[in-house]
Amino acid sequence: MRVALRCLIVDDSEDFLASARRLLDSQGIEVVGVAMSSADAIRLVGELGPDIALIDVDLGGEDGIALARQVKRAAPATRTILISAHALEDLDLTEAGADVFFIQKGQLGADAIVGLLG
């Protein structure tokens, strides 16, 4: 039996957070928390120790790529996946680092996450 991944979702849309939480929970990924800001995300990563952090590239006025780098420094064991409504080819993720993954929001699901993480 595979152990469920524990996930933190970071996005500035309450609707997306609720939808993504329902989807991932129904597919066997335990959503242990959600955050709408970088400060809340860093706090929750420290408190909850999630296996993965799904981080929106565009967090309103905040930079999701910078947050992904902060999460990697604060919690090296947490795997970071950037998410966006935009396609990968429309984004410049060079500053995110080689160990940061990407999933387009429309493709989000347990299979996509597990497939990325191997």
Side-chain angles (χ1 to χ4, degrees), residues 15-82:
D15 290 340
F16 177 78
L17 289 171
S19 296
R21 175 178 228 147
R22 279 191 307 274
L23 173 71
L24 295 177
D25 279 339
S26 75
Q27 294 179 351
I29 292 183
E30 180 186 1
V31 177
V32 295
V34 296
M36 294 185 70
S37 71
S38 295
D40 285 344
I42 292 297
R43 179 181 55 78
L44 289 172
V45 163
E47 289 176 9
L48 303 172
D51 300 308
I52 55 174
L54 299 174
I55 302 171
D56 189 12
V57 171
D58 180 12
L59 286 172
E62 299 183 61
D63 182 353
I65 295 170
L67 174 58
R69 290 193 310 266
Q70 288 179 301
V71 167
K72 291 308 294 175
R73 284 192 301 274
T78 297
R79 311 280 298 273
T80 306
I81 300 173
L82 289 169

